[in-house]
Amino acid sequence: MRYIVIGAGAVGGTIGAKLFQGGHEVLLIARGAHHAALRASGMRLITPSTTETLAVPVADGPVPTGEDDVLVLATKSQDTVAALDGWSRELPVVLAQNGVGNEPVALRRFARVYGMCVWLPALHLEPGVVVSYGAPHPGMLHVGRYPQGVDDLAAQVTADLTGSGFVTRPVPDVMRWKYGKLLGNLGNAAEALCEPGFADIHVQARAEAMRVLDAAGIAYSTQEEERELRGHLVDLAPVDGVARGGGSSWQSLARGNGTIEADFLNGEIVLLARTLGLPAPVNEVLQREANRAAREKLPPGSMPVAKLQALIDERCAAVSR
């Protein structure tokens, strides 16, 4: 199979690079300065133990495809629709993305859709460069067909990723794992907005979301399950000369590209709560403030934790009246 990785940033770049190192045929899809750098000089992959420049083939949009090609979508959720435009709908598509809203969007267009639950600490801020912090393995990936099940393709993708260094499992209930990951990602907005010290806000957002998911009857994996599986297989290891400022939302503000994924993380809980007639003030404020910071192109860490907590408390008081 050829893996066509759409979105060669932190996650997609790491997945594509490791598959390429593992001997698989890979095509990276990137845009702008990142595409130009990859095309001119290859990908510079920096890990805790090595720095390599890889001549991974790259394109800036849809290319002619064959029946053995697999699309791996690793863009931010707000870019899903645009990123899938122009690709053959006969191909299988694996969604290596945060959130739980991408799979139904893809299933409107593609008959074979696979979810991937991604735990992969990486950084992409500089064109042509991806930094992977996971050790001894670069990431843990759960793969399954959407809405449920495991088939031959899921098993093959899992085997290829495992052979390329990842901790990978085929799972029939991939969306349960992705809902569990969503709970962890609800702190992304606070991490992007504030300096360290926002942990209590994430706890509030997670507790609120669990109440909403429970009311909706939606199953989700637990932190204990993740810790048991992950152990020390994917630890966050230091990389000389490259400090990791934060996760995907933090990196969105650092790049200053004007968008952030909050509508598909905190906003997913807000949407579900509203359909159930329930309040979700904590996630509502996080969604609103993250979008405002992205729109105004504010740098990460520009809001004091106390100010964000005050906005949350004010909204909580308003909805409880």
Side-chain angles (χ1 to χ4, degrees), residues 7-8 26 40 45 68 74 142 186 191 195 202 213 257-258 287-288 292 302:
V26 175
L45 177 67
D68 292 327
H142 289 3
L186 297 178
E191 180 188 52
E195 295 289 341
H202 185 194
L213 294 179
N257 56 14
Q287 177 190 11
R288 182 191 72 205
R292 181 185 62 80
S302 57

PDB file of all heavy atoms in Angstrom, residues 7-8 26 40 45 68 74 142 186 191 195 202 213 257-258 287-288 292 302:
ATOM      1  N   GLY A   7      -1.708  16.413   5.435  1.00  0.00           N
ATOM      2  CA  GLY A   7      -1.416  17.190   6.630  1.00  0.00           C
ATOM      3  C   GLY A   7      -0.156  16.675   7.286  1.00  0.00           C
ATOM      4  O   GLY A   7      -0.211  15.826   8.178  1.00  0.00           O
ATOM      5  N   ALA A   8       0.990  17.167   6.817  1.00  0.00           N
ATOM      6  CA  ALA A   8       2.282  16.642   7.274  1.00  0.00           C
ATOM      7  C   ALA A   8       2.853  17.467   8.419  1.00  0.00           C
ATOM      8  O   ALA A   8       4.043  17.787   8.429  1.00  0.00           O
ATOM      9  CB  ALA A   8       3.265  16.597   6.098  1.00  0.00           C
ATOM     10  N   VAL A  26       5.259   6.226   0.840  1.00  0.00           N
ATOM     11  CA  VAL A  26       4.565   7.324   1.509  1.00  0.00           C
ATOM     12  C   VAL A  26       4.574   8.549   0.599  1.00  0.00           C
ATOM     13  O   VAL A  26       5.584   8.841  -0.056  1.00  0.00           O
ATOM     14  CB  VAL A  26       5.239   7.677   2.861  1.00  0.00           C
ATOM     15  CG1 VAL A  26       4.581   8.902   3.495  1.00  0.00           C
ATOM     16  CG2 VAL A  26       5.186   6.492   3.824  1.00  0.00           C
ATOM     17  N   ALA A  40      12.123  20.949  -1.299  1.00  0.00           N
ATOM     18  CA  ALA A  40      13.496  21.388  -1.585  1.00  0.00           C
ATOM     19  C   ALA A  40      14.543  20.601  -0.815  1.00  0.00           C
ATOM     20  O   ALA A  40      15.601  20.258  -1.364  1.00  0.00           O
ATOM     21  CB  ALA A  40      13.629  22.872  -1.263  1.00  0.00           C
ATOM     22  N   LEU A  45      13.465  15.240  10.619  1.00  0.00           N
ATOM     23  CA  LEU A  45      12.770  14.613  11.744  1.00  0.00           C
ATOM     24  C   LEU A  45      13.724  14.557  12.925  1.00  0.00           C
ATOM     25  O   LEU A  45      14.776  13.903  12.873  1.00  0.00           O
ATOM     26  CB  LEU A  45      12.306  13.204  11.376  1.00  0.00           C
ATOM     27  CG  LEU A  45      11.613  12.418  12.501  1.00  0.00           C
ATOM     28  CD1 LEU A  45      10.278  13.064  12.868  1.00  0.00           C
ATOM     29  CD2 LEU A  45      11.413  10.956  12.100  1.00  0.00           C
ATOM     30  N   ASP A  68      -4.575   0.628  -4.378  1.00  0.00           N
ATOM     31  CA  ASP A  68      -3.888   0.221  -3.152  1.00  0.00           C
ATOM     32  C   ASP A  68      -3.497   1.404  -2.269  1.00  0.00           C
ATOM     33  O   ASP A  68      -2.798   1.231  -1.265  1.00  0.00           O
ATOM     34  CB  ASP A  68      -2.630  -0.591  -3.492  1.00  0.00           C
ATOM     35  CG  ASP A  68      -2.966  -1.935  -4.097  1.00  0.00           C
ATOM     36  OD1 ASP A  68      -4.008  -2.500  -3.721  1.00  0.00           O
ATOM     37  OD2 ASP A  68      -2.202  -2.423  -4.940  1.00  0.00           O
ATOM     38  N   ALA A  74      -4.540  13.949   8.644  1.00  0.00           N
ATOM     39  CA  ALA A  74      -3.962  14.383   9.915  1.00  0.00           C
ATOM     40  C   ALA A  74      -4.004  15.902  10.056  1.00  0.00           C
ATOM     41  O   ALA A  74      -3.188  16.496  10.757  1.00  0.00           O
ATOM     42  CB  ALA A  74      -2.526  13.877  10.048  1.00  0.00           C
ATOM     43  N   HIS A 142      -4.628   3.740  18.195  1.00  0.00           N
ATOM     44  CA  HIS A 142      -5.683   2.740  18.114  1.00  0.00           C
ATOM     45  C   HIS A 142      -6.406   2.941  16.790  1.00  0.00           C
ATOM     46  O   HIS A 142      -6.782   4.072  16.447  1.00  0.00           O
ATOM     47  CB  HIS A 142      -6.688   2.902  19.253  1.00  0.00           C
ATOM     48  CG  HIS A 142      -6.160   2.512  20.608  1.00  0.00           C
ATOM     49  ND1 HIS A 142      -4.874   2.114  20.827  1.00  0.00           N
ATOM     50  CD2 HIS A 142      -6.786   2.465  21.820  1.00  0.00           C
ATOM     51  CE1 HIS A 142      -4.716   1.824  22.104  1.00  0.00           C
ATOM     52  NE2 HIS A 142      -5.851   2.036  22.733  1.00  0.00           N
ATOM     53  N   LEU A 186      -9.888  18.428  26.191  1.00  0.00           N
ATOM     54  CA  LEU A 186     -10.670  19.593  26.615  1.00  0.00           C
ATOM     55  C   LEU A 186      -9.809  20.629  27.326  1.00  0.00           C
ATOM     56  O   LEU A 186     -10.208  21.784  27.468  1.00  0.00           O
ATOM     57  CB  LEU A 186     -11.829  19.158  27.522  1.00  0.00           C
ATOM     58  CG  LEU A 186     -12.871  18.255  26.850  1.00  0.00           C
ATOM     59  CD1 LEU A 186     -13.933  17.842  27.856  1.00  0.00           C
ATOM     60  CD2 LEU A 186     -13.510  18.942  25.645  1.00  0.00           C
ATOM     61  N   GLU A 191      -4.530  25.327  27.926  1.00  0.00           N
ATOM     62  CA  GLU A 191      -3.081  25.274  27.732  1.00  0.00           C
ATOM     63  C   GLU A 191      -2.631  26.335  26.744  1.00  0.00           C
ATOM     64  O   GLU A 191      -1.583  26.973  26.934  1.00  0.00           O
ATOM     65  CB  GLU A 191      -2.670  23.893  27.238  1.00  0.00           C
ATOM     66  CG  GLU A 191      -1.157  23.767  27.005  1.00  0.00           C
ATOM     67  CD  GLU A 191      -0.783  22.460  26.342  1.00  0.00           C
ATOM     68  OE1 GLU A 191      -1.374  22.132  25.295  1.00  0.00           O
ATOM     69  OE2 GLU A 191       0.118  21.774  26.859  1.00  0.00           O
ATOM     70  N   GLU A 195      -0.624  30.520  30.868  1.00  0.00           N
ATOM     71  CA  GLU A 195       0.623  29.965  31.364  1.00  0.00           C
ATOM     72  C   GLU A 195       0.300  28.738  32.213  1.00  0.00           C
ATOM     73  O   GLU A 195      -0.860  28.490  32.544  1.00  0.00           O
ATOM     74  CB  GLU A 195       1.370  31.015  32.199  1.00  0.00           C
ATOM     75  CG  GLU A 195       1.840  32.224  31.406  1.00  0.00           C
ATOM     76  CD  GLU A 195       2.988  31.901  30.461  1.00  0.00           C
ATOM     77  OE1 GLU A 195       3.650  30.862  30.664  1.00  0.00           O
ATOM     78  OE2 GLU A 195       3.205  32.663  29.499  1.00  0.00           O
ATOM     79  N   HIS A 202      -9.023  22.356  33.508  1.00  0.00           N
ATOM     80  CA  HIS A 202      -9.205  21.131  32.734  1.00  0.00           C
ATOM     81  C   HIS A 202     -10.055  20.136  33.516  1.00  0.00           C
ATOM     82  O   HIS A 202     -10.933  19.465  32.943  1.00  0.00           O
ATOM     83  CB  HIS A 202      -7.845  20.521  32.378  1.00  0.00           C
ATOM     84  CG  HIS A 202      -7.950  19.323  31.492  1.00  0.00           C
ATOM     85  ND1 HIS A 202      -6.906  18.459  31.270  1.00  0.00           N
ATOM     86  CD2 HIS A 202      -8.991  18.811  30.772  1.00  0.00           C
ATOM     87  CE1 HIS A 202      -7.289  17.488  30.463  1.00  0.00           C
ATOM     88  NE2 HIS A 202      -8.549  17.675  30.142  1.00  0.00           N
ATOM     89  N   LEU A 213     -21.758  13.453  28.448  1.00  0.00           N
ATOM     90  CA  LEU A 213     -21.647  12.172  27.751  1.00  0.00           C
ATOM     91  C   LEU A 213     -22.470  11.089  28.444  1.00  0.00           C
ATOM     92  O   LEU A 213     -23.125  10.273  27.778  1.00  0.00           O
ATOM     93  CB  LEU A 213     -20.184  11.747  27.669  1.00  0.00           C
ATOM     94  CG  LEU A 213     -19.257  12.611  26.806  1.00  0.00           C
ATOM     95  CD1 LEU A 213     -17.830  12.075  26.857  1.00  0.00           C
ATOM     96  CD2 LEU A 213     -19.736  12.684  25.367  1.00  0.00           C
ATOM     97  N   ASN A 257      -1.953  31.301  12.714  1.00  0.00           N
ATOM     98  CA  ASN A 257      -2.640  31.146  11.428  1.00  0.00           C
ATOM     99  C   ASN A 257      -4.115  31.532  11.478  1.00  0.00           C
ATOM    100  O   ASN A 257      -4.822  31.423  10.477  1.00  0.00           O
ATOM    101  CB  ASN A 257      -2.484  29.713  10.898  1.00  0.00           C
ATOM    102  CG  ASN A 257      -2.982  28.665  11.881  1.00  0.00           C
ATOM    103  OD1 ASN A 257      -3.671  28.985  12.849  1.00  0.00           O
ATOM    104  ND2 ASN A 257      -2.637  27.419  11.646  1.00  0.00           N
ATOM    105  N   GLY A 258      -4.602  31.974  12.626  1.00  0.00           N
ATOM    106  CA  GLY A 258      -5.948  32.519  12.712  1.00  0.00           C
ATOM    107  C   GLY A 258      -7.047  31.526  13.029  1.00  0.00           C
ATOM    108  O   GLY A 258      -8.213  31.917  13.155  1.00  0.00           O
ATOM    109  N   GLN A 287     -14.218  27.332  24.612  1.00  0.00           N
ATOM    110  CA  GLN A 287     -14.400  27.415  23.167  1.00  0.00           C
ATOM    111  C   GLN A 287     -14.372  28.873  22.708  1.00  0.00           C
ATOM    112  O   GLN A 287     -13.672  29.225  21.741  1.00  0.00           O
ATOM    113  CB  GLN A 287     -15.734  26.763  22.788  1.00  0.00           C
ATOM    114  CG  GLN A 287     -16.067  26.851  21.293  1.00  0.00           C
ATOM    115  CD  GLN A 287     -17.502  26.411  21.008  1.00  0.00           C
ATOM    116  OE1 GLN A 287     -18.301  26.232  21.940  1.00  0.00           O
ATOM    117  NE2 GLN A 287     -17.823  26.229  19.745  1.00  0.00           N
ATOM    118  N   ARG A 288     -15.134  29.701  23.372  1.00  0.00           N
ATOM    119  CA  ARG A 288     -15.232  31.112  22.983  1.00  0.00           C
ATOM    120  C   ARG A 288     -13.895  31.830  23.074  1.00  0.00           C
ATOM    121  O   ARG A 288     -13.476  32.526  22.137  1.00  0.00           O
ATOM    122  CB  ARG A 288     -16.260  31.812  23.885  1.00  0.00           C
ATOM    123  CG  ARG A 288     -16.505  33.277  23.555  1.00  0.00           C
ATOM    124  CD  ARG A 288     -17.314  33.918  24.660  1.00  0.00           C
ATOM    125  NE  ARG A 288     -16.536  34.111  25.877  1.00  0.00           N
ATOM    126  CZ  ARG A 288     -17.062  34.193  27.110  1.00  0.00           C
ATOM    127  NH1 ARG A 288     -18.365  34.060  27.282  1.00  0.00           N
ATOM    128  NH2 ARG A 288     -16.281  34.402  28.154  1.00  0.00           N
ATOM    129  N   ARG A 292     -11.467  33.357  20.122  1.00  0.00           N
ATOM    130  CA  ARG A 292     -11.136  34.783  20.127  1.00  0.00           C
ATOM    131  C   ARG A 292      -9.618  34.982  20.030  1.00  0.00           C
ATOM    132  O   ARG A 292      -9.136  35.821  19.258  1.00  0.00           O
ATOM    133  CB  ARG A 292     -11.669  35.453  21.402  1.00  0.00           C
ATOM    134  CG  ARG A 292     -11.386  36.952  21.476  1.00  0.00           C
ATOM    135  CD  ARG A 292     -11.822  37.524  22.811  1.00  0.00           C
ATOM    136  NE  ARG A 292     -11.091  36.942  23.927  1.00  0.00           N
ATOM    137  CZ  ARG A 292      -9.864  37.324  24.286  1.00  0.00           C
ATOM    138  NH1 ARG A 292      -9.213  38.267  23.618  1.00  0.00           N
ATOM    139  NH2 ARG A 292      -9.272  36.747  25.322  1.00  0.00           N
ATOM    140  N   SER A 302      -1.281  34.152  26.758  1.00  0.00           N
ATOM    141  CA  SER A 302      -1.516  35.597  26.888  1.00  0.00           C
ATOM    142  C   SER A 302      -2.589  35.947  27.915  1.00  0.00           C
ATOM    143  O   SER A 302      -2.781  37.125  28.225  1.00  0.00           O
ATOM    144  CB  SER A 302      -1.901  36.188  25.531  1.00  0.00           C
ATOM    145  OG  SER A 302      -3.044  35.550  25.002  1.00  0.00           O
TER     146      SER A 302
END
